[in-house]
Amino acid sequence: MKKYTLAIILVAAIMIEMVVVVQYYLAQRGLKQELLQKASRDMDQSQRVAAVKAEVETAVRNVKLQVQQVVNAGTPDQFYGIMTRLVKDNPHVVGAGVAFKPDYYKEQGKPDLYSPYAYEEGVEASLEKRKTAKPQMRTTLLPFDYTTREWYMQPMEDGKSLWTEPYMDQGGAHIVMCTYCEVIRNKNNYPVAVFYADVPLEDVSLLADGMYSDISDNGKVILIVQLLGFVLLGFVIWRAASASRRYKEEKVDPEKEELIKEVERLKSLNHHLTDRNQDLAKKLQAKNETTDQHWFG
């Protein structure tokens, strides 16, 4: 039974660590869900929020005219410059793009889905930091199917501008944000794209104030728990190894092992002598029988 002790301890330690990891994941997911729910309730309750939203809407609508001109002129390469200037000139905007309906630029060799996007790399969550920091701009094409997203579908269907619900950005800034959207129309007044700007949640929500520090504090606590778990796992493994080593030292006696080997050697020698004696006895018996026959003759 004792030979399985080390394996049992290791399995138990690994199971404990797995439980801690699952708890970490569930805690993080619960934190994000709670944050999004609270943010959704208070977005329209502040004059400051209203002022920020109005500022973003005005900036987007002003640039929207340039976007429509580029669309009508058929020169899509200019979109990156327009989006980059929008982000640089507006500290509330951390990313901007224009998402076209499928196959709109098919005749120019563009992919089926075409959405040029400019964003600030390593964006700071705090507005004050963004105002003083020099933005590091990047441009790209959206790599996913945006036609199923709310910010694209709803404006294309009803032709109205839209503020999305808060969501966690996974592809760029990795912060909670909202998106403001405007419909782009061609010369025939037909909707062909959605022009959008991403705004950090802190700018448009009172509850977002200090939320990143709270998340950071919770993350530090969870990290400490994780480190303690690894320390505990290492301690258990060390104790198990020590116990196994002591068990071997206690149970394995060198003198006893030598004695066992000597006994085995003597047994083997005894078997050999027994077989030899039996052979001699048979030969002696056979010789006696031969001698008796000659005597009677």
Side-chain angles (χ1 to χ4, degrees), residues 235-268:
F235 176 75
V236 170
I237 293 175
W238 173 72
R239 291 292 296 175
S242 299
S244 177
R245 186 165 54 251
R246 286 197 303 270
Y247 173 77
K248 290 181 179 180
E249 291 175 353
E250 293 173 358
K251 296 301 179 180
V252 179
D253 187 350
E255 295 182 359
K256 184 177 179 180
E257 290 294 318
E258 290 295 329
L259 181 60
I260 292 174
K261 291 180 181 179
E262 184 65 21
V263 170
E264 292 296 329
R265 189 182 68 81
L266 292 175
K267 284 183 178 180
S268 177

Side-chain angles (χ1 to χ4, degrees), residues 21 46 55 58 79 103 177 206 227:
V21 172
S46 166
E55 183 179 338
T58 300
F79 287 131
D103 296 326
M177 61 174 54
L206 287 179
L227 292 176

Side-chain angles (χ1 to χ4, degrees), residues 162-173:
L162 168 72
W163 276 99
T164 68
E165 294 294 324
Y167 64 94
M168 177 65 73
D169 173 54
Q170 299 295 336

Side-chain angles (χ1 to χ4, degrees), residues 32-143:
K32 292 178 181 178
Q33 290 177 346
E34 182 180 358
L35 174 63
L36 296 179
Q37 291 173 358
K38 289 182 178 180
S40 298
R41 290 195 296 266
D42 84 310
M43 277 186 62
D44 298 317
Q45 297 179 1
S46 166
Q47 293 182 354
R48 178 181 68 82
V49 170
V52 172
K53 292 172 70 175
E55 183 179 338
V56 172
E57 292 171 7
T58 300
V60 170
R61 287 168 183 164
N62 290 338
V63 178
K64 176 182 174 182
L65 299 175
Q66 302 177 38
V67 175
Q68 287 181 325
Q69 291 175 356
V70 173
V71 171
N72 294 332
T75 54
D77 292 339
Q78 297 182 24
F79 287 131
Y80 288 116
I82 295 175
M83 305 306 160
T84 299
R85 286 193 297 272
L86 174 61
V87 176
K88 283 186 175 182
D89 295 342
N90 296 273
H92 296 297
V93 179
V94 296
V98 55
F100 286 88
K101 67 177 186 178
D103 296 326
Y104 184 78
Y105 281 111
K106 187 175 182 179
E107 67 280 1
Q108 298 189 26
K110 301 296 181 183
D112 294 343
L113 297 178
Y114 180 61
S115 179
Y117 181 69
Y119 64 99
E120 183 178 344
E121 188 177 45
V123 60
E124 293 283 354
S126 169
L127 176 61
E128 295 301 322
K129 292 182 180 180
R130 293 202 306 275
K131 286 181 177 180
T132 57
K134 184 178 180 180
Q136 300 294 323
M137 297 302 301
R138 293 290 183 272
T139 57
T140 185
L141 289 174
L142 293 188

Side-chain angles (χ1 to χ4, degrees), residues 284-297:
L284 182 60
Q285 183 179 0
K287 184 177 181 180
N288 291 334
E289 290 177 354
T290 302
T291 302
D292 292 341
Q293 290 176 359
H294 288 308
W295 184 79
F296 283 111

Side-chain angles (χ1 to χ4, degrees), residues 271-282:
H271 285 307
H272 176 70
L273 293 175
T274 301
D275 293 340
R276 182 179 177 183
N277 290 336
Q278 289 177 351
D279 289 340
L280 291 174
K282 289 179 181 179

